[in-house]
Amino acid sequence: MEFTDDPSITSFRNEVRSWLSDNLVGEYRSLGTSAEMGAHDWPVRVRWEQELGRAGWLGLTWPKEFGGRAASVAEELAFAEEYALADGPQRAGFFGEGLLGPTLITFGSSEQQERFLPPILRGDEYWCQGFSEPGAGSDLAGVRTTAVLDGSTWRVDGQKVWTSQAQFAQWIFVLCRTELDQVAHKSLSYVLVPIDQPGVEVRPLMDLSGNDHFCEVFFDGAVTTSDMIVGGRGNGWRTAMGTLGFERGTAFMAQQLRFAKEFAKVRQLAVDKGVERDAEIRQRLARAYGELEIMRWSGLRNVTRFLQGGQPGPEGSIGKLFWSKWHQRLGELEADLLGADALVLQPEGSTAHDFQHTFLFSRAHTIYAGSSEIQRNIIGERVLGLPRS
Ligand SMILES: Cc1cc2nc3c(=O)[nH]c(=O)nc-3n(C[C@H](O)[C@H](O)[C@H](O)COP(=O)(O)OP(=O)(O)OC[C@H]3O[C@@H](n4cnc5c(N)ncnc54)[C@H](O)[C@@H]3O)c2cc1C
């Protein structure tokens, strides 16, 4: 395992650091690092994406023929680390740049690539992910939304739920049934649907942190043209698994650095409150610190695998299971340290507000991107080789 950058990566890292120092200022700096994203700050987040796009930081790892910079894994990691160290805001363009873009590059037609990739790279067009439904989350093959071809148009009917950012997006990628005479996986297609039309209704849902970042999406005779299927009719399962692979890939590379910065603030709060020597608080801080180090070393091991040309394996589930519970426990410690202040909503932009948000939002960590039970199934079956349940 090599811990030092080679000179080309050092120079790349310096370029990123200097650009962030010059540009991550003013209204962009005021976005903070919280995952809280809503109507109140969406326009600023869009302007930040456009800044990143103009400077060529969007699509960093995409091939050059698609407008990217063909960055190596080491460069991608350096960018993610510098972004985390500079307290870069949560990215509004994740679904387009991180999920749909790579999916189109791998499975899309050249017309789809030409139509959709450039506006993602400019930060001009936003996407959301229409997979989960009221009866199909962990078991995605159970989706019931249908698309039926009528001449040159698909007619889409059904419902999606927990669709993050649907109220801001212009397009949604929908996993739905098109081959109604086929069973399960073979009946599915991956369809691109414009949101701003009479057949689509988006209803934001309020989560327990008081934020409305995800939505219900209803399709009632929504239309999209016949060329909007990615990867071919009946191949939706393969295309969707490709998208989920990108989601679980390198997206969380520098997360440990963000956690380390948050932990430092928690420790400081314990000092400020004069309880850092309290036996129970010390124990919880020590455990959090020890586990943070475990995350750092496991992260480095994963990065080494990437650098050696490997792909994310089922071992990624161990990381997801670990960090999701860790962050929930840290949120509980944050709330306990805040004491009575945790009961009253604290001013936005304050550390106390961020701590309240971590405490409330971290409940979702063990559900999205594969629930803890599903991660345990993957570890049992594909890492430990136990029999399938
Ligand atoms: C903050 C947040 C954002 C999200 N954003 C999006 C989005 O943008 N787009 C989108 O499509 N979805 C999104 N989701 C949905 C998310 O992917 C699902 O909630 C998740 O896949 C779980 O599905 P479910 O809610 O239907 O629960 P279910 O699948 O119904 O599971 C219910 C319970 O049963 C357990 N369970 C299910 N199957 C098994 C099994 N085989 N073995 C053992 N236990 C099992 C689960 O672990 C869970 O505890 C989001 C969710 C959250 C919380």
Side-chain angles (χ1 to χ4, degrees):
M1 200 185 278
E2 177 58 65
F3 292 109
T4 50
D5 288 341
D6 73 33
S8 72
I9 300 299
T10 305
S11 141
F12 177 81
R13 193 181 277 285
N14 289 340
E15 183 192 342
V16 177
R17 189 175 300 171
S18 142
W19 187 86
L20 286 169
S21 152
D22 291 345
N23 293 279
L24 183 51
V25 293
E27 61 173 1
Y28 307 135
R29 176 61 66 197
S30 71
L31 288 170
T33 55
S34 158
E36 221 170 344
M37 210 183 273
H40 62 292
D41 60 15
W42 184 257
V44 183
R45 291 184 187 278
V46 167
R47 286 197 285 279
W48 174 239
E49 289 293 313
Q50 291 167 343
E51 292 278 1
L52 289 164
R54 274 191 292 276
W57 298 121
L58 298 186
L60 202 59
T61 56
W62 295 10
K64 289 194 173 144
E65 66 262 38
F66 296 112
R69 284 170 75 161
S72 64
V73 174
E75 287 171 326
E76 184 186 15
L77 177 65
F79 183 85
E81 286 179 345
E82 290 303 320
Y83 195 84
L85 288 169
D87 286 334
Q90 292 287 334
R91 298 282 316 285
F94 171 71
F95 291 101
E97 189 205 2
L99 301 188
L100 198 263
T103 304
L104 288 183
I105 288 169
T106 309
F107 302 103
S109 67
S110 52
E111 290 77 16
Q112 290 166 347
Q113 291 162 349
E114 277 163 31
R115 161 66 185 84
F116 293 116
L117 297 181
I120 292 175
L121 289 182
R122 289 194 302 269
D124 285 347
E125 212 160 59
Y126 289 83
W127 287 84
C128 59
Q129 178 180 23
F131 285 5
S132 303
E133 296 186 3
S138 304
D139 180 18
L140 262 188
V143 298
R144 287 200 297 226
T145 295
T146 57
V148 176
L149 195 57
D150 179 9
S152 60
T153 305
W154 289 102
R155 187 195 148 103
V156 186
D157 289 283
Q159 185 199 341
K160 297 290 171 181
V161 72
W162 315 128
T163 320
S164 302
Q165 301 177 13
Q167 72 273 53
F168 308 123
Q170 288 78 45
W171 286 82
I172 177 168
F173 44 94
V174 181
L175 186 63
C176 56
R177 297 196 177 282
T178 54
E179 314 309 298
L180 304 181
D181 54 343
Q182 297 285 334
V183 291
H185 303 83
K186 290 187 179 151
S187 67
L188 299 170
S189 294
Y190 190 107
V191 185
L192 311 178
V193 181
I195 290 189
D196 187 15
Q197 58 166 307
V200 179
E201 187 190 348
V202 175
R203 290 189 205 154
L205 293 165
M206 186 81 78
D207 75 8
L208 91 166
S209 69
N211 209 5
D212 58 354
H213 61 91
F214 52 29
C215 307
E216 292 176 296
V217 181
F218 296 88
F219 302 98
D220 182 8
V223 289
T224 194
T225 52
S226 58
D227 53 353
M228 287 296 146
I229 292 231
V230 183
R233 284 182 69 154
N235 290 328
W237 186 255
R238 189 181 65 127
T239 312
M241 290 307 110
T243 301
L244 293 178
F246 297 122
E247 183 170 21
R248 288 167 193 160
T250 51
F252 297 112
M253 264 183 172
Q255 187 188 47
Q256 194 270 345
L257 286 174
R258 284 189 189 272
F259 284 164
K261 294 189 96 175
E262 187 177 346
F263 174 79
K265 289 184 190 165
V266 176
R267 189 177 160 277
Q268 189 57 48
L269 181 61
V271 171
D272 293 346
K273 296 253 175 188
V275 293
E276 81 278 18
R277 293 191 183 281
D278 173 273
E280 192 213 325
I281 298 294
R282 269 170 65 107
Q283 183 67 21
R284 290 167 75 184
L285 284 169
R287 176 177 179 186
Y289 177 76
E291 291 176 344
L292 195 56
E293 286 297 293
I294 292 174
M295 280 189 264
R296 186 162 82 88
W297 291 105
S298 329
L300 285 169
R301 194 171 49 195
N302 288 339
V303 166
T304 306
R305 182 179 302 131
F306 274 124
L307 290 171
Q308 291 167 349
Q311 289 302 315
E315 297 83 358
S317 292
I318 301 174
K320 167 77 189 351
L321 196 58
F322 197 77
W323 74 251
S324 53
K325 287 305 287 181
W326 181 88
H327 204 214
Q328 285 183 350
R329 278 193 301 274
L330 193 74
E332 286 157 17
L333 179 55
E334 289 168 6
D336 287 345
L337 287 172
L338 285 174
D341 287 347
L343 299 174
V344 183
L345 196 59
Q346 297 297 313
E348 220 166 293
S350 66
T351 301
H353 179 94
D354 289 349
F355 284 175
Q356 284 181 312
H357 185 259
T358 296
F359 173 68
L360 295 170
F361 185 71
S362 63
R363 314 326 294 171
H365 291 342
T366 46
I367 302 172
Y368 64 77
S371 70
S372 291
E373 289 78 11
I374 296 301
Q375 306 301 342
R376 287 196 185 91
N377 285 350
I378 295 171
I379 295 166
E381 291 165 15
R382 293 171 53 197
V383 180
L384 301 175
L386 298 174
R388 289 178 68 83
S389 55

